[in-house]
Amino acid sequence: MASNNTSAVLDIVVESKEISSILKDYDRSSICSGSTIDNSLVQSPSLESFSTIQDIENLSELNMDENSDLSVKIDNPQKHLETLETYITFRITTKVARIEYSENEYVVRRRYNDFIWLRQKLTECHPFCIVPPLPGKHSLIGQLDRYSKDFILLRMKALNVFVSRIVNHPILSCNEHFKTFLTAKQPDFNLHRRQRTNSENKIRTLSHSNSTHSALKNRHLEFDKTKSYLTVLSEKLSSIEKISSRINKERIDFIVELNSYHPIFTTWATSEPELAALLQNIGCAVERNTAAQNMLVQSYPTVIGNPIRDFLTYIDVVQDTIKKREAYQCAYENSLEELNKRHSEKDKLIASSHNPSQAAGFSLWKQPSCDEKLEKLGVYIPQLLKKVEANQDSLECANESLRSDIEHWQLEKQQCLKKILLDFVNKQIEYYQATVNAWEHVTSEIAPQNNVAVSK
Amino acid sequence: MEDESPTPKKHTDKNKHPKEDTILNHLEISVAESEKRANGTLNLREFYTVYLIETKLTDSEFQNKFPKLTTVWRRYTEFEQLRGYLEVTYPYIILPPLPEKRVMFGWQKISSDTFDPNFVDRRRAGLENFLLRVASHPVLSWDKHFIEFLQHEDDWRETYKSNGYLQLMENKLKALNLSMRLRNTDPRFESIKDYSHVFQNNLNNLLKARSRVAEKQYNVHKLHANYGRVFSEWSAVEKDMGDALQKTGHYLDSLASSIDAGLEDEELLVDQLKEYLFFANSLQNVCKNYEYHQLQLESAEDNVASKNVERNKAQQGKTSLMSRLFGAVDTDEVRELKVNLLDQQIQEGAAAVNVSKTNLNDFSTKALDDIERFQKQKVVDLQETLTSYAFLQLKTAKKGLQTWLQIRDCLQNVP
């Protein structure tokens, strides 16, 4: 793993020239293809590279699994200054050993909007797959420094997580659009993107209109269980996030107090020659403890805050997907109800036509309309029957695909939460280890002193 | 040692340091228990706490002087009276302080109620410590009233009231409260005075900051109990992770509650630091007593000086009102009479100066002696306290580290 890391870092340095050529390519293409942006001349892209060593280390362990047949890495963000907009692109390196792919390695550059497009496409094609969430758009405050290094690195990390989740997904990773996203040269990709935009609306409106009335007649036990489980899980995770943020705030106060605490020891040491060494050491240990605690506090957003929030959006996606399934169940139930209604209507009509004596007076003028209705129903019911069957089929498909996807997701969830918790615990261990070391330094200094005193 | 024991008073007279014999070599003193008592009628009750002092004889040769085992009940105010008496009787000794009367440097967890069992027990330990300090002092330990205090519950109260020390104490306090302007000061006492202020300041700052640190540390730890709750609730809905999560919750709960014991231990060390904070006061009192003696000497000297001036004038016959008004010169007889009177006064004054001088010197040697003893004791005590503090911090940190390591082990077992 270590060698892998270093090579990942080296890549960036060595390839920086190569990338600039890719970039030129990209810019030219955007002009040639009539440009999605504008026709004016494109300013030379800034080649400011944001990649830093530490972050790449973390990323490579996420995605660069040498054994898998598909691995994707996102790095090397670059800022593009154009007349109408400024944006960031990321380099996406794909190593692949699948038949559908003609080459073994692809390098493309994509911007955040392209990721949004990809996610959109994936949700359209696989309505019952849990499509991982994207990192959010920048917040209002983030808007101010959306080109800041921290923000971009954070987004890059999140995009890596996004892509790795797709790569690990048995169905999504085989998606055609995903392949295009990873492999298409910039002009082709732009073309591809624009072609499909028209068809987008259809499915969206369908799923939207359905999801509005979701009063189901029959509860689906299994999915209901998952739903309530997810509610509990997201509740617990957000409480954990709240507690840790509260502890973090308290720690910040603690650090303030500690910062005024340790100088007292060093000040005191100046007036106590016999105790000076001990007082100095204690002051020093408190200071080191403070520094270690500060590190712990600083690591909070990356270790706990962001990962948990990211995971909460993931849970939301799962909830949404389950809701989408409900729309299908709803459609099926509605059609079934309609069918039953028609059936009973038909039965009633037949019954009334068989017993004309019951209401002789009315039957005179009602008779023809009754036959007419029966005839109509005779056509309508088989149609409905077909519809019901179709709905049932698609519902069962949805159930099946969702069931397997949730199973897959459960595994992924476990790994992800395990990682979050372990990262968190490791940070705590790091802090306590530093504190133990600091105090051990003091006590080890004391031991020989005492021995000297005893021997005297 | 044993041979000396029948005549222990020798030590109080001489300031030399032979092998220090203190009462503690022959006795064991402890404040074993405390008890809440009520005073007065039912509707006008006043509660107070009494402490049981146990004195056990460890040296059989002492038997003729002391009974084998004595127990007395004493109130805090009686300790205060004893200390007040010692303060007046031994102005040159840096008196051991009593434990705090009210809770100082408290924070949210520390109750400010003087009947709080925790507070009472810490006071009990503090009072015991006070007795041990007195009993291990080469001079104080042989004090008659102190021994009486340990032995005779009611007799002591009587003698205390009758021996007039109360009055003496008040006078002394009045004298000490006068603002003193001294012409000459002993640089040794000046530096001790300065030191005592610096020392007091440092300890004061330290204790103040410590209580704030302790409060924050307490809060941080206690907040972890919330994790414990959430984790165990969460574990209920998980299958494969459930076990690990539940254990994690337990560990976090134990982390939250571990701070109570740790801070209780820390509070004991804080009490030791508080003792030295109050010792700084005793040190300042000794300095004040020195200044009092110095003032005595200087006013005696002033007296002699002014008498000398008067005498010179009298010799020239220019002292009386008449001579100033009329320019007349006193007759020889009158002049001689006055000069003789003044000579006598000067002689008396000079004697007083000498007395003051020997008093001052006596005081200085004794006080400096005791200060030296105190400084040595202080270094040893504080070294111990600070060492314990460091080890306690290490222990707390290790406990935390261990808990998190256990949590890691738990979570790593998640498939």
Side-chain angles (χ1 to χ4, degrees):
Chain A
M1 225 35 210
S3 63
N4 194 11
N5 289 345
T6 48
S7 72
V9 175
L10 280 175
D11 269 355
I12 296 148
V13 183
V14 175
E15 284 179 9
S16 60
K17 271 182 190 168
E18 200 179 307
I19 283 148
S20 68
S21 68
I22 294 168
L23 267 174
K24 273 174 204 152
D25 195 312
Y26 164 61
D27 290 329
R28 208 183 308 124
S29 71
S30 66
I31 300 164
C32 293
S33 62
S35 179
T36 49
I37 306 146
D38 63 340
N39 285 330
S40 64
L41 276 173
V42 173
Q43 288 184 354
S44 66
S46 94
L47 281 174
E48 199 181 337
S49 173
F50 290 92
S51 302
T52 59
I53 292 159
Q54 308 147 316
D55 277 82
I56 300 303
E57 274 176 45
N58 298 334
L59 298 178
S60 53
E61 86 189 37
L62 261 178
N63 298 344
M64 279 309 189
D65 184 1
E66 295 293 327
N67 298 324
S68 84
D69 56 357
L70 177 65
S71 62
V72 182
K73 179 179 71 178
I74 301 170
D75 59 8
N76 197 287
Q78 277 173 5
K79 196 171 179 179
H80 299 257
L81 295 162
E82 288 175 12
T83 37
L84 280 184
E85 62 174 350
T86 303
Y87 59 92
I88 308 289
T89 62
F90 300 94
R91 179 177 61 182
I92 302 173
T93 313
T94 310
K95 288 189 177 137
V96 61
R98 287 187 183 180
I99 306 168
E100 312 93 90
Y101 294 79
S102 50
E103 283 166 53
N104 286 332
E105 189 170 327
Y106 297 89
V107 178
V108 293
R109 295 198 75 85
R110 300 280 184 252
R111 53 185 292 193
Y112 180 69
N113 282 344
D114 299 333
F115 283 88
I116 294 179
W117 169 86
L118 171 66
R119 183 160 194 282
Q120 179 65 43
K121 283 288 156 202
L122 289 175
T123 27
E124 279 166 23
C125 299
H126 310 281
F128 302 110
C129 278
I130 299 159
V131 182
L134 275 171
K137 290 238 165 208
H138 15 69
S139 61
L140 205 63
I141 306 157
Q143 188 77 29
L144 296 171
D145 58 344
R146 53 200 265 204
Y147 304 115
S148 82
K149 194 173 162 180
D150 287 341
F151 175 75
I152 288 165
L153 285 178
L154 204 65
R155 174 173 272 184
M156 187 168 83
K157 215 170 154 186
L159 289 176
N160 266 291
V161 172
F162 169 72
V163 169
S164 80
R165 282 173 177 161
I166 294 175
V167 165
N168 290 325
H169 194 284
I171 297 166
L172 296 181
S173 70
C174 301
N175 181 279
E176 193 56 32
H177 295 294
F178 184 49
K179 187 189 159 196
T180 313
F181 177 83
L182 292 180
T183 58
K185 289 256 188 300
Q186 200 61 43
D188 299 339
F189 183 70
N190 288 341
L191 210 65
H192 185 80
R193 257 192 77 164
R194 263 179 302 138
Q195 269 176 5
R196 308 292 169 119
T197 40
N198 299 334
S199 59
E200 268 175 32
N201 303 327
K202 221 168 65 185
I203 302 168
R204 272 184 102 182
T205 46
L206 195 142
S207 64
H208 256 273
S209 63
N210 276 341
S211 61
T212 45
H213 46 91
S214 54
L216 293 182
K217 292 214 176 60
N218 301 307
R219 306 223 138 255
H220 195 290
L221 253 179
E222 188 193 336
F223 292 120
D224 269 3
K225 240 169 98 185
T226 315
K227 257 171 85 175
S228 54
Y229 163 74
L230 289 172
T231 315
V232 174
L233 180 65
S234 75
E235 205 181 281
K236 295 304 158 210
L237 284 177
S238 48
S239 342
I240 287 175
E241 200 266 336
K242 259 184 222 144
I243 294 165
S244 47
S245 118
R246 172 87 181 76
I247 290 179
N248 216 46
K249 279 200 193 97
E250 200 66 37
R251 279 199 195 279
I252 290 169
D253 291 353
F254 191 16
I255 288 169
V256 171
E257 297 301 344
L258 283 172
N259 272 331
S260 59
Y261 188 45
H262 67 79
I264 294 172
F265 285 99
T266 30
T267 312
W268 191 13
T270 56
S271 62
E272 299 288 346
E274 283 107 331
L275 299 168
L278 182 55
L279 287 169
Q280 282 280 11
N281 281 339
I282 290 178
C284 192
V286 175
E287 199 177 353
R288 279 172 67 184
N289 174 19
T290 317
Q293 184 134 238
N294 208 20
M295 297 265 287
L296 185 66
V297 166
Q298 296 301 324
S299 76
Y300 167 78
T302 47
V303 172
I304 271 284
N306 290 332
I308 286 191
R309 250 171 273 136
D310 162 69
F311 199 80
L312 285 173
T313 57
Y314 205 3
I315 293 176
D316 287 345
V317 168
V318 181
Q319 293 277 38
D320 285 349
T321 319
I322 293 178
K323 266 197 198 121
K324 248 188 262 168
R325 187 208 71 89
E326 278 170 8
Y328 275 70
Q329 189 176 343
C330 201
Y332 164 67
E333 278 174 356
N334 285 343
S335 58
L336 194 64
E337 199 184 348
E338 179 86 7
L339 182 66
N340 288 338
K341 225 160 81 188
R342 297 298 168 200
H343 265 301
S344 63
E345 208 174 310
K346 192 182 162 192
D347 289 348
K348 234 188 245 166
L349 284 170
I350 290 167
S352 64
S353 65
H354 278 275
N355 299 347
S357 57
Q358 220 174 14
F362 297 104
S363 59
L364 273 175
W365 60 270
K366 221 182 173 183
Q367 198 60 40
S369 67
C370 197
D371 288 337
E372 229 173 84
K373 270 187 184 169
L374 268 174
E375 204 173 307
K376 256 191 191 169
L377 283 173
V379 182
Y380 194 45
I381 286 174
Q383 275 178 356
L384 262 178
L385 206 63
K386 256 186 199 165
K387 198 180 163 193
V388 169
E389 271 166 14
N391 278 342
Q392 191 175 12
D393 278 355
S394 53
L395 176 63
E396 247 145 49
C397 274
N399 284 350
E400 204 41 57
S401 114
L402 189 60
R403 188 174 295 131
S404 77
D405 220 43
I406 285 175
E407 229 166 79
H408 169 81
W409 184 82
Q410 290 279 13
L411 291 177
E412 195 183 329
K413 170 211 80 182
Q414 191 144 317
Q415 292 316 306
C416 187
L417 290 179
K418 185 181 170 182
K419 189 180 175 301
I420 292 174
L421 292 176
L422 277 175
D423 282 352
F424 166 64
V425 171
N426 281 328
K427 279 286 165 207
Q428 300 281 338
I429 289 172
E430 232 171 73
Y431 159 66
Y432 275 99
Q433 190 64 61
T435 313
V436 166
N437 289 347
W439 287 108
E440 241 162 21
H441 179 73
V442 182
T443 52
S444 67
E445 292 274 307
I446 288 166
Q449 267 181 25
N450 278 1
N451 289 343
V452 170
V454 167
S455 64
K456 267 180 186 171
Chain B
M1 286 276 281
E2 279 78 14
D3 301 342
E4 279 179 355
S5 54
T7 54
K9 286 221 164 148
K10 232 167 72 183
H11 297 288
T12 53
D13 305 327
K14 282 281 157 195
N15 284 303
K16 278 178 194 167
H17 281 278
K19 263 205 165 175
E20 303 275 16
D21 187 33
T22 67
I23 202 167
L24 211 57
N25 292 339
H26 315 281
L27 295 173
E28 244 174 40
I29 299 169
S30 64
V31 179
E33 272 180 58
S34 62
E35 202 177 282
K36 196 174 169 182
R37 287 189 188 170
N39 227 351
T41 52
L42 269 174
N43 44 359
L44 257 171
R45 284 207 153 182
E46 191 202 348
F47 289 100
Y48 62 95
T49 312
V50 284
Y51 301 87
L52 182 72
I53 305 169
E54 268 182 20
T55 315
K56 261 186 230 163
L57 196 68
T58 52
D59 180 357
S60 53
E61 302 221 6
F62 241 52
Q63 218 149 9
N64 47 354
K65 283 198 125 200
F66 290 88
K68 257 196 168 160
L69 174 77
T70 48
T71 53
V72 288
W73 289 97
R74 295 268 179 235
R75 293 183 60 166
Y76 182 79
T77 38
E78 289 174 304
F79 279 89
E80 275 184 321
Q81 287 165 351
L82 171 69
R83 191 173 182 280
Y85 153 76
L86 291 172
E87 197 169 9
V88 174
T89 318
Y90 305 96
Y92 52 90
I93 285 174
I94 300 157
L95 272 191
L98 288 170
E100 60 197 351
K101 202 171 173 68
R102 299 252 165 267
V103 178
M104 290 172 82
F105 308 107
W107 49 285
Q108 68 172 30
K109 211 204 135 206
I110 303 297
S111 160
S112 59
D113 174 19
T114 46
F115 288 108
D116 178 77
N118 201 347
F119 177 80
V120 169
D121 193 59
R122 275 172 44 221
R123 176 177 272 184
R124 182 202 57 74
L127 291 174
E128 179 177 291
N129 186 49
F130 167 74
L131 291 181
L132 290 176
R133 288 241 188 245
V134 175
S136 63
H137 192 280
V139 178
L140 296 177
S141 78
W142 300 109
D143 183 85
K144 257 202 313 207
H145 278 280
F146 171 60
I147 291 166
E148 192 92 328
F149 182 84
L150 297 177
Q151 305 276 331
H152 305 292
E153 190 166 320
D154 295 319
D155 292 359
W156 181 81
R157 284 184 201 130
E158 294 309 312
T159 46
Y160 179 79
K161 272 177 204 156
S162 61
N163 67 13
Y165 277 110
L166 274 170
Q167 189 61 37
L168 205 68
M169 240 173 91
E170 268 170 35
N171 293 343
K172 189 86 175 196
L173 284 176
K174 267 181 209 156
L176 286 176
N177 279 336
L178 294 172
S179 62
M180 289 180 266
R181 296 237 173 98
L182 299 174
R183 269 176 284 135
N184 297 307
T185 47
D186 190 331
R188 291 173 298 181
F189 280 99
E190 277 303 291
S191 76
I192 289 163
K193 199 170 139 188
D194 290 347
Y195 169 78
S196 76
H197 286 296
V198 172
F199 183 64
Q200 197 171 30
N201 234 343
N202 281 326
L203 273 172
N204 208 15
N205 290 340
L206 185 76
L207 288 166
K208 252 191 248 161
R210 205 289 317 189
S211 71
R212 289 198 304 262
V213 165
E215 175 154 11
K216 293 295 165 202
Q217 198 182 6
Y218 181 78
N219 289 349
V220 166
H221 274 82
K222 282 297 168 194
L223 282 171
H224 281 78
N226 296 337
Y227 276 139
R229 190 175 46 79
V230 172
F231 270 96
S232 58
E233 282 170 12
W234 180 13
S235 74
V237 297
E238 290 287 350
K239 268 177 266 156
D240 300 337
M241 293 171 85
D243 196 34
L245 292 177
Q246 189 169 17
K247 277 188 189 153
T248 303
H250 287 321
Y251 283 126
L252 288 168
D253 273 338
S254 76
L255 185 73
S257 54
S258 72
I259 195 63
D260 289 318
L263 284 177
E264 250 165 55
D265 290 349
E266 200 174 291
E267 217 58 41
L268 296 180
L269 296 178
V270 165
D271 279 347
Q272 292 174 19
L273 291 180
K274 277 182 193 168
E275 190 191 8
Y276 272 90
L277 178 73
F278 303 143
F279 256 132
N281 261 328
S282 306
L283 200 56
Q284 281 160 18
N285 273 339
V286 170
C287 291
K288 266 192 189 155
N289 288 332
Y290 155 77
E291 283 174 358
Y292 172 76
H293 279 285
Q294 178 74 30
L295 188 71
Q296 295 282 333
L297 173 64
E298 283 182 10
S299 60
E301 280 171 351
D302 283 352
N303 186 35
V304 172
S306 67
K307 292 286 187 237
N308 268 326
V309 172
E310 228 176 296
R311 183 182 173 275
N312 283 342
K313 279 182 183 160
Q315 241 166 0
Q316 289 158 20
K318 286 179 184 168
T319 49
S320 73
L321 191 70
M322 291 294 280
S323 69
R324 264 183 235 162
L325 278 176
F326 305 106
V329 173
D330 284 336
T331 58
D332 283 351
E333 293 101 88
V334 175
R335 197 187 295 169
E336 202 158 317
L337 207 69
K338 277 181 182 165
V339 169
N340 280 344
L341 187 70
L342 284 169
D343 271 341
Q344 202 188 330
Q345 280 177 348
I346 286 164
Q347 255 171 17
E348 278 167 15
V353 167
N354 276 336
V355 169
S356 294
K357 239 179 208 161
T358 42
N359 277 348
L360 180 65
N361 282 337
D362 196 36
F363 178 87
S364 295
T365 35
K366 279 178 179 173
L368 288 171
D369 222 35
D370 204 56
I371 287 166
E372 197 189 312
R373 185 198 55 78
F374 166 77
Q375 291 284 18
K376 271 185 199 150
Q377 186 69 46
K378 181 204 74 186
V379 170
V380 172
D381 286 350
L382 287 181
Q383 188 116 36
E384 200 188 304
T385 305
L386 292 169
T387 304
S388 310
Y389 181 75
F391 274 102
L392 183 64
Q393 297 303 316
L394 179 62
K395 200 176 120 193
T396 311
K398 270 186 174 164
K399 210 182 255 174
L401 179 63
Q402 197 202 351
T403 308
W404 286 107
L405 284 171
Q406 278 164 333
I407 292 173
R408 184 168 73 181
D409 288 346
C410 271
L411 290 172
Q412 263 162 353
N413 285 334
V414 170

